[in-house]
Amino acid sequence: MDAEQLRECGHKMVDFIADYYKTIENFPVLSQVQPGYLHKLLPDSAPTHPDSLENLFDGEVLQLDIQTKILPGVTHWQSPNYFAYYPSNSSVAGFMGEMLSAGLNIVGFSWITSPAATELETVVLDWLGKMLKLPEDFLSAGQGGGVIQGTASEAILVVLLAARDKFLKKAGKNALEKLVVYASDQTHSALQKACQIAGIHPENCRLLRTDSSTNYALPPDVLNKAISSDVSNGFIPFFLCATVGTTSSTAIDPLSALGRIAKSHGMWFHVDAAYAGSACICPEYRQYIDGVEEADSFNMNAHKWLLTNFDCSALWIKDRNALIQSLSTNPEFLKNKASEANLVVDYKDWQIPLGRRFRSLKLWMVLRLYGVENLQSYLRNHINLAKHFEELVAKDSRFEIVTPRIFSLVCFRLLPACKDEALANKLNDDLLNAVNSTGKAFISHTVLSGKYVLRFAVGAPLTEEKHVNAAWSVLQEKASALLDP
């Protein structure tokens, strides 16, 4: 393909994507296909002879292959009627950065492989860190710094490995079976997977019980009691993970109190703010990460709620040498003068894989083309829409709000005629399926204290009040059909 063919095909692909967003509301939000549908539509093997670019982009073929085969199997995360899980934002700015990254196609594992990729990442992570008012220790001017991981799962894995190796260096490698990890039972399952990968014994992962009395935050006294018991039994407390904005209900662990406990035992303290961290660029929400100064590492996903296309998970660490010592390899074929002189950052030593994409381009584009004030307004709008939905639910006596709304997630459920929890759980499961099967809205669920709870997360870039109102109408309609069949 020469430059002119690239230009022509690129224009057609951008046109297709623009038309997709223009008509995205016409698609059922949740894909309605059955498992194995695509195997019936595609050949058993790849084509022997190539197709032509003209044939691929002549409209008719594109519609045949994309419109009739691929799009029916897509769940439309950017639909304004998407209210499930947490958002995965995209934007024109993020898309352009992603497109530029794909076009340049560099593999920036070390500074010398593309100096701009390394240095831009350092700069934009400092920008974002300052937007969050993170302590100076987390910025690149000191001993720490920021790095873009693929997901929060990767972020928590690399800091857990760094903490593990730091403790084993002191206690000896045979002490692995004594290392203990602490978190609440609301912590993302990524922590458990990280423990499995890091060789932490499953029985040494303490997921401490929470309940509605603390709005599902981890109580410091419960943590203290667990640590004291473990220490008296010869175990080594080494890692604490706190969450700001849990997946189930956006619970917020008390960072300051938990951080002091971790510090008193010399533990590594990690803060996972994958979802809610974005909101903390707004001054009125920054309070929810007060205490982050006690942490050794902090993570938030710019690809969740900050208009940066997936994947872009920002991780900051106070002591970058802890990561480097745990994850660095230095084979002969990667050696170079800049690295050997310790003049540069080599991000290969801050992550699991060697190779890495030029992800900082899309974050840079988003921060430049929106600016802090517009990003703050964007977040506040979603929070106000969630507040509006919460008010709609509160006015209908058939429903109840299960946990206090803090950001843009509303946890609620439909109440049965009698106080039967098993019936209530089935009723809400039926309501979830009835709503999602319409294709008009997509919501998800969780379980809190044995209660099946519906989650309504506002966060898609195109969502407006009319979409929230329409989703509520669908919920009311399906609730009425279930309560009065």
Side-chain angles (χ1 to χ4, degrees):
M1 182 185 293
D2 61 26
E4 290 311 311
Q5 287 176 309
L6 171 62
R7 192 186 317 279
E8 181 183 354
C9 292
H11 285 167
K12 288 181 179 178
M13 185 59 75
V14 170
D15 285 343
F16 179 84
I17 294 169
D19 287 340
Y20 166 71
Y21 277 99
K22 194 174 179 180
T23 59
I24 195 169
E25 289 188 64
N26 298 338
F27 297 100
V29 190
L30 177 64
S31 173
Q32 305 294 306
V33 302
Q34 296 301 311
Y37 90 101
L38 198 54
H39 289 281
K40 301 172 184 176
L41 299 177
L42 296 180
D44 289 338
S45 56
T48 302
H49 303 290
D51 210 337
S52 68
L53 286 169
E54 292 76 13
N55 198 27
L56 181 61
F57 284 101
D58 70 0
E60 182 182 339
V61 173
L62 190 65
Q63 283 196 6
L64 179 63
D65 285 348
I66 305 298
Q67 297 281 12
T68 65
K69 297 177 183 177
I70 302 302
L71 287 183
V74 169
T75 290
H76 301 276
W77 283 67
Q78 306 311 313
S79 169
N81 300 309
Y82 182 97
F83 304 105
Y85 309 117
Y86 279 135
S88 181
N89 282 179
S90 71
S91 65
V92 172
F95 168 68
M96 289 195 299
E98 188 75 82
M99 186 163 59
L100 183 57
S101 175
L104 295 175
N105 199 34
I106 65 105
V107 186
F109 47 81
S110 60
W111 179 87
I112 199 171
T113 60
S114 198
T118 295
E119 297 193 14
L120 184 63
E121 187 159 336
T122 301
V123 169
V124 296
L125 266 293
D126 278 351
W127 283 5
L128 187 52
K130 290 173 183 177
M131 288 163 62
L132 290 161
K133 293 184 169 53
L134 293 182
E136 292 283 332
D137 292 347
F138 283 119
L139 304 181
S140 63
Q143 296 302 308
V147 57
I148 297 175
Q149 304 286 343
T151 65
S153 300
E154 293 174 39
I156 200 166
L157 174 59
V158 297
V159 296
L160 183 72
L161 292 172
R164 179 201 65 182
D165 292 349
K166 182 178 178 182
F167 273 76
L168 291 179
K169 193 172 182 180
K170 291 186 291 184
K173 31 177 140 166
N174 293 330
L176 182 62
E177 63 184 18
K178 296 182 179 179
L179 297 184
V180 182
V181 171
Y182 302 85
S184 88
D185 59 1
Q186 299 300 304
T187 302
H188 196 281
S189 59
L191 176 62
Q192 289 176 277
K193 181 177 279 192
C195 287
Q196 290 172 224
I197 296 170
I200 305 302
H201 290 212
E203 61 271 22
N204 289 359
C205 187
R206 309 273 187 264
L207 300 181
L208 305 173
R209 187 175 178 181
T210 60
D211 57 40
S212 59
S213 67
T214 60
N215 293 325
Y216 298 96
L218 176 59
D221 60 322
V222 172
L223 175 64
N224 250 330
K225 185 177 178 181
I227 292 175
S228 297
S229 174
D230 283 331
V231 169
S232 65
N233 286 303
F235 289 100
I236 303 172
F238 88 104
F239 191 88
L240 169 63
C241 179
T243 306
V244 176
T246 58
T247 302
S248 281
S249 65
T250 63
I252 298 170
D253 290 334
L255 302 189
S256 295
L258 297 179
R260 287 193 294 270
I261 293 170
K263 196 172 188 178
S264 69
H265 291 278
M267 300 166 66
W268 186 292
F269 183 33
H270 176 67
V271 175
D272 174 7
Y275 160 69
S278 294
C280 296
I281 70 168
C282 300
E284 66 270 31
Y285 293 102
R286 173 57 176 76
Q287 60 180 304
Y288 294 114
I289 58 170
D290 285 352
V292 69
E293 61 274 9
E294 305 285 351
D296 296 283
S297 50
F298 176 84
N299 169 241
M300 59 82 69
N301 287 348
H303 64 238
K304 268 196 168 69
W305 201 13
L306 206 66
L307 289 166
T308 307
N309 294 43
F310 187 83
D311 55 347
C312 186
S313 184
L315 170 68
W316 290 268
I317 188 165
K318 279 184 178 175
D319 178 13
R320 57 177 173 261
N321 286 323
L323 273 188
I324 294 168
Q325 288 171 14
S326 184
L327 301 173
S328 175
T329 56
N330 193 29
E332 185 63 37
F333 60 84
L334 293 182
K335 291 179 180 178
N336 61 86
K337 290 180 180 179
S339 297
E340 294 298 303
N342 203 28
L343 297 173
V344 297
V345 169
D346 288 332
Y347 278 125
K348 70 179 178 63
D349 300 327
W350 296 43
Q351 62 174 25
I352 300 301
L354 172 65
R356 60 198 331 265
R357 296 184 296 115
F358 200 165
R359 286 181 292 217
S360 56
L361 273 173
K362 55 190 172 185
L363 182 56
W364 183 53
M365 290 276 199
V366 168
L367 296 181
R368 286 194 61 181
L369 295 180
Y370 280 90
V372 177
E373 288 185 354
N374 282 334
L375 289 171
Q376 290 170 336
S377 296
Y378 173 77
L379 296 160
R380 288 171 180 141
N381 176 56
H382 283 155
I383 293 169
N384 287 334
L385 290 175
K387 182 180 179 182
H388 172 64
F389 179 80
E390 180 185 40
E391 291 167 350
L392 293 174
V393 175
K395 288 176 184 175
D396 191 329
S397 60
R398 301 175 301 172
F399 291 84
E400 70 169 348
I401 304 293
V402 178
T403 59
R405 180 200 53 77
I406 303 171
F407 303 104
S408 68
L409 172 70
V410 180
C411 291
F412 68 106
R413 68 174 186 158
L414 181 61
L415 298 170
C418 60
K419 292 186 177 179
D420 183 327
E421 282 302 326
L423 179 60
N425 289 347
K426 183 180 186 309
L427 182 66
N428 282 279
D429 182 44
D430 290 344
L431 179 57
L432 176 89
N433 292 323
V435 169
N436 289 345
S437 66
T438 67
K440 296 177 181 178
F442 180 31
I443 59 174
S444 56
H445 81 284
T446 190
V447 174
L448 295 168
S449 299
K451 294 179 179 179
Y452 189 104
V453 177
L454 303 179
R455 298 171 71 264
F456 189 91
V458 181
L462 298 174
T463 299
E464 300 174 14
E465 187 173 307
K466 65 181 181 181
H467 301 109
V468 173
N469 291 338
W472 175 237
S473 294
V474 174
L475 276 157
Q476 285 188 305
E477 176 193 335
K478 295 303 178 182
S480 295
L482 290 168
L483 294 173
D484 303 302

